[in-house]
Amino acid sequence: MVDPLKVSQGIAAAGLDVQSHRMRIIAENMANAQSTANTPGGDPYTRKTIVFSNDFDEALGSNLVGVEQIGKDPSPYRVERNPSHPAADADGNVKYPNVNILVEMADMRESNRSYEANLQMMKQSRSMVMMTIDMLRSS
Amino acid sequence: MLEQLLPAISGIGSSTPVQGDTSVRSRVAVTETGDDFGNMLARMASDTFDTLKAAEATSVAGITDKASVQQVVESVMAAEQSLQTALAVRDKVVSAYLEISRMTI
C-alpha cells in the first residue's frame, strides 16, 4: 500500500515536470517569434503546441499528468511585405511565424500559476506528513 | 550513517532483555511465529536506506544535468521524510528501551 500523502506529492511532482516542459515550449515559441526561413519563400518557424495526457503510474497506483505529444500549430503564417528580406518570395512577401506573443504571455502566466499550485500542493502534503511524524516525537 | 543504524535497530529487537523461561519471554516466542517487531524495524530501516540511496543517485544525476530539478527535489524530499520517520521511530524505540532499563526491580 502506498501512502496517499506520498502519492499526492508524486502527482504534484509530475505536475511540476509537465509545467516545466510547457514553459520550455513557450520559451521556444517566444524566442522564435521572428524566425523566418533561410531560403526565399520558405516556411518560417511553426508554433509548437503541447498536449497533456493522463496516464496511470504503476508504482504510485494513481493517475499522473504527462506530456502526450508536442505538436505543431496548423494556423496560417503571418505575411509581411518586405522585398529586401533574404527570405522574401518572388512577390516580396516574407512569411513570419504564426506565433502571437500575447497568447504566449498568457500561456506563460497560466503555466506559472499551475506550477505554483502544484508546488503548494507539495508543500501542504509534506507538512501534513511531517505533522504526523511529529506526533511520535512530542513526549 | 544508516549502516550503523540498521544493525542497532534490528539488535534492539533481537536482544531480549528478559532471559529465561519467564512469562515475558514465552509471550515473545509466541509473537515470533508471525512478523517480528525487530524484523519490521529492520525492513523499515532498509527501505529508508534504499530511499536515501535513490535520492543520492538522483542528486548526482541532477548535478550532471541528467535529472530535472523537480525530480531531484522530489526524491530528496522523499528521502528526508523516510529519514525523519526512521529517526522518530528510533527515538521512540530507544526511549522505550531506556524506560525498561530504568524499571525498578
Side-chain angles (χ1 to χ4, degrees), chain A residues 3 6 9-11 13-14 16-17 20 60 115 122-123 125-126 129-130 133 135-139, chain B residues 51 68-71 73-75 77-78 80-92 95:
Chain A
D3 179 9
K6 275 190 185 147
Q9 278 183 49
I11 295 171
L16 292 181
D17 200 50
S20 55
L60 289 176
Y115 197 95
M122 222 161 167
K123 268 189 202 163
S125 30
R126 182 175 176 275
V129 172
M130 283 302 171
I133 295 174
M135 284 192 75
L136 279 178
R137 271 194 258 273
S138 56
S139 55
Chain B
T51 325
S68 68
V69 188
Q70 290 87 14
Q71 284 170 327
V73 169
E74 191 203 358
S75 60
M77 258 168 54
E80 191 210 356
Q81 268 171 32
S82 316
L83 184 65
Q84 292 294 335
T85 316
L87 286 182
V89 170
R90 182 208 58 183
D91 290 352
K92 210 71 182 170
S95 82

Side-chain angles (χ1 to χ4, degrees), chain A residues 103-118:
Chain A
V103 171
E104 299 303 323
M105 283 289 234
D107 235 20
M108 186 185 81
R109 299 297 287 185
E110 197 190 328
S111 177
N112 187 25
R113 295 280 178 230
S114 187
Y115 197 95
E116 275 174 19
N118 279 302

Side-chain angles (χ1 to χ4, degrees), chain A residues 2-129:
Chain A
V2 195
D3 179 9
L5 283 173
K6 275 190 185 147
V7 174
S8 39
Q9 278 183 49
I11 295 171
L16 292 181
D17 200 50
V18 159
Q19 293 305 326
S20 55
H21 273 98
R22 187 182 180 184
M23 278 300 260
R24 191 183 72 86
I25 298 300
I26 295 168
E28 217 172 304
N29 286 340
M30 277 175 115
N32 285 297
Q34 301 288 332
S35 302
T36 54
N38 297 325
T39 51
D43 280 348
Y45 171 81
T46 311
R47 177 175 178 256
K48 283 186 185 172
T49 55
I50 187 163
V51 183
F52 300 146
S53 67
N54 180 19
D55 26 54
F56 185 74
D57 185 85
E58 288 284 345
L60 289 176
S62 178
N63 282 327
L64 302 184
V65 64
V67 177
E68 174 79 40
Q69 59 153 324
I70 289 165
K72 286 186 181 281
D73 188 347
S75 62
Y77 299 118
R78 194 159 47 87
V79 179
E80 267 178 35
R81 192 175 153 69
N82 186 0
S84 60
H85 198 284
D89 62 7
D91 300 328
N93 290 329
V94 183
K95 283 195 232 171
Y96 281 96
N98 50 352
V99 176
N100 186 348
I101 289 283
L102 283 177
V103 171
E104 299 303 323
M105 283 289 234
D107 235 20
M108 186 185 81
R109 299 297 287 185
E110 197 190 328
S111 177
N112 187 25
R113 295 280 178 230
S114 187
Y115 197 95
E116 275 174 19
N118 279 302
L119 215 55
Q120 202 59 40
M121 183 70 225
M122 222 161 167
K123 268 189 202 163
Q124 202 67 253
S125 30
R126 182 175 176 275
S127 93
M128 279 165 82
V129 172

Side-chain angles (χ1 to χ4, degrees), chain B residues 27-42:
Chain B
R27 197 170 297 159
V28 167
V30 169
T31 50
E32 262 172 5
T33 55
D35 212 356
D36 189 83
F37 181 61
N39 282 343
M40 190 270 280
L41 285 180

Side-chain angles (χ1 to χ4, degrees), chain B residues 4 11-12 21 26 32-33 37 44 54 60-62 64 73 77 80 85 91 102 104:
Chain B
Q4 291 123 25
I12 289 172
D21 198 20
S26 56
E32 262 172 5
T33 55
F37 181 61
M44 210 179 115
V60 171
T64 54
V73 169
M77 258 168 54
E80 191 210 356
T85 316
D91 290 352
R102 272 200 295 271
T104 43

